[in-house]
Coordinates of all heavy atoms in Angstrom, one line a residue:
S45 N 77.1 168.3 154.8 CA 76.4 168.8 155.9 C 74.8 168.6 155.8 O 74.3 168.3 154.7 CB 76.6 170.3 156.0 OG 76.4 171.0 154.9
P46 N 74.1 168.8 156.8 CA 72.6 168.5 156.7 C 72.0 169.4 155.6 O 72.3 170.6 155.6 CB 72.1 168.9 158.0 CG 73.2 168.7 159.0 CD 74.5 169.1 158.2
H47 N 71.1 168.8 154.9 CA 70.5 169.4 153.7 C 69.1 168.7 153.4 O 68.9 167.5 153.8 CB 71.4 169.6 152.5 CG 71.8 168.4 151.9 ND1 72.8 167.6 152.4 CD2 71.3 167.7 150.8 CE1 73.0 166.5 151.7 NE2 72.0 166.5 150.8
I48 N 68.4 169.3 152.5 CA 67.1 168.6 152.1 C 67.1 168.6 150.6 O 67.5 169.6 150.0 CB 65.8 169.5 152.6 CG1 65.8 169.4 154.2 CG2 64.6 169.0 152.0 CD1 64.7 170.4 154.7
A49 N 66.7 167.5 150.0 CA 66.6 167.3 148.6 C 65.1 167.3 148.2 O 64.2 166.8 149.0 CB 67.2 166.0 148.2
F64 N 75.0 157.6 157.5 CA 73.9 158.6 157.0 C 73.1 158.9 158.2 O 72.8 158.1 159.0 CB 73.1 157.9 155.9 CG 73.6 158.3 154.5 CD1 74.5 157.6 153.9 CD2 73.1 159.5 153.9 CE1 75.0 157.9 152.6 CE2 73.6 159.8 152.6 CZ 74.6 159.0 152.0
Y65 N 72.6 160.2 158.2 CA 71.7 160.6 159.2 C 70.5 161.1 158.4 O 70.5 162.0 157.6 CB 72.3 161.8 160.0 CG 73.5 161.4 160.8 CD1 74.8 161.4 160.3 CD2 73.3 160.9 162.1 CE1 75.8 161.1 161.1 CE2 74.5 160.5 162.9 CZ 75.7 160.6 162.4 OH 76.8 160.2 163.1
I66 N 69.3 160.6 158.8 CA 68.1 161.0 158.2 C 67.1 161.5 159.3 O 66.8 160.5 160.2 CB 67.4 159.9 157.3 CG1 68.4 159.4 156.3 CG2 66.1 160.4 156.7 CD1 67.9 158.2 155.5
C67 N 66.7 162.7 159.3 CA 66.0 163.2 160.5 C 66.6 162.9 161.8 O 65.8 162.3 162.7 CB 64.5 162.8 160.4 SG 63.7 163.4 158.9
E68 N 68.0 163.0 161.9 CA 68.8 162.8 163.1 C 68.8 161.3 163.5 O 69.4 160.9 164.5 CB 68.2 163.6 164.3 CG 68.2 165.1 164.0 CD 67.9 165.9 165.2 OE1 67.8 165.4 166.3 OE2 67.6 167.1 165.0
K69 N 68.2 160.3 162.8 CA 68.4 158.9 163.0 C 69.7 158.4 162.3 O 69.8 158.8 161.1 CB 67.2 158.1 162.4 CG 67.3 156.6 162.9 CD 66.1 155.9 162.7 CE 66.2 154.4 163.0 NZ 65.1 153.6 162.7
Y71 N 72.2 155.8 160.5 CA 72.2 154.6 159.6 C 73.6 154.2 159.3 O 74.2 154.8 158.2 CB 71.4 154.9 158.3 CG 70.0 155.1 158.6 CD1 69.5 156.4 158.8 CD2 69.0 154.0 158.7 CE1 68.1 156.7 159.1 CE2 67.7 154.3 159.0 CZ 67.3 155.6 159.1 OH 65.9 155.8 159.5
L81 N 66.9 158.0 150.4 CA 66.8 159.3 151.2 C 65.4 159.9 150.7 O 65.3 160.2 149.6 CB 67.9 160.2 150.8 CG 69.4 159.6 150.9 CD1 70.3 160.5 150.5 CD2 69.6 159.3 152.5
P82 N 64.6 160.1 151.7 CA 63.2 160.6 151.3 C 63.2 162.2 151.0 O 63.9 162.9 151.7 CB 62.4 160.3 152.6 CG 63.5 160.2 153.7 CD 64.7 159.7 153.1
A83 N 62.4 162.4 150.0 CA 62.4 163.9 149.7 C 61.8 164.7 150.8 O 60.9 164.2 151.6 CB 61.4 164.0 148.4
G84 N 62.4 165.9 151.0 CA 61.8 166.8 151.9 C 62.4 166.5 153.3 O 61.9 167.2 154.3
E85 N 63.2 165.5 153.6 CA 63.7 165.2 154.9 C 65.1 165.6 155.0 O 65.9 165.3 154.1 CB 63.5 163.7 155.2 CG 62.1 163.2 155.1 CD 61.2 163.6 156.3 OE1 61.8 163.9 157.4 OE2 60.0 163.7 156.2
I86 N 65.5 166.1 156.1 CA 66.8 166.5 156.3 C 67.8 165.3 156.5 O 67.5 164.4 157.1 CB 66.9 167.6 157.5 CG1 68.4 168.2 157.6 CG2 66.7 166.8 158.8 CD1 68.4 169.4 158.4
H87 N 68.9 165.4 155.8 CA 69.9 164.2 155.8 C 71.3 164.7 155.7 O 71.5 165.8 155.2 CB 69.5 163.1 154.8 CG 69.5 163.7 153.4 ND1 68.4 164.2 152.8 CD2 70.6 163.7 152.5 CE1 68.7 164.6 151.6 NE2 70.0 164.3 151.3
S88 N 72.2 164.0 156.1 CA 73.7 164.3 156.0 C 74.5 162.9 156.0 O 73.9 161.9 156.2 CB 74.2 165.1 157.1 OG 74.0 164.5 158.4
V89 N 75.7 163.0 155.6 CA 76.6 161.8 155.7 C 78.0 162.1 156.2 O 78.4 163.3 155.9 CB 76.7 161.3 154.2 CG1 77.3 162.1 153.2 CG2 77.3 159.9 154.2

Side-chain angles (χ1 to χ4, degrees):
S45 59
H47 62 282
I48 295 173
F64 265 87
Y65 296 89
I66 303 172
C67 295
E68 298 183 18
K69 186 172 179 185
Y71 297 89
L81 304 175
E85 300 289 337
I86 194 162
H87 59 272
S88 62
V89 64

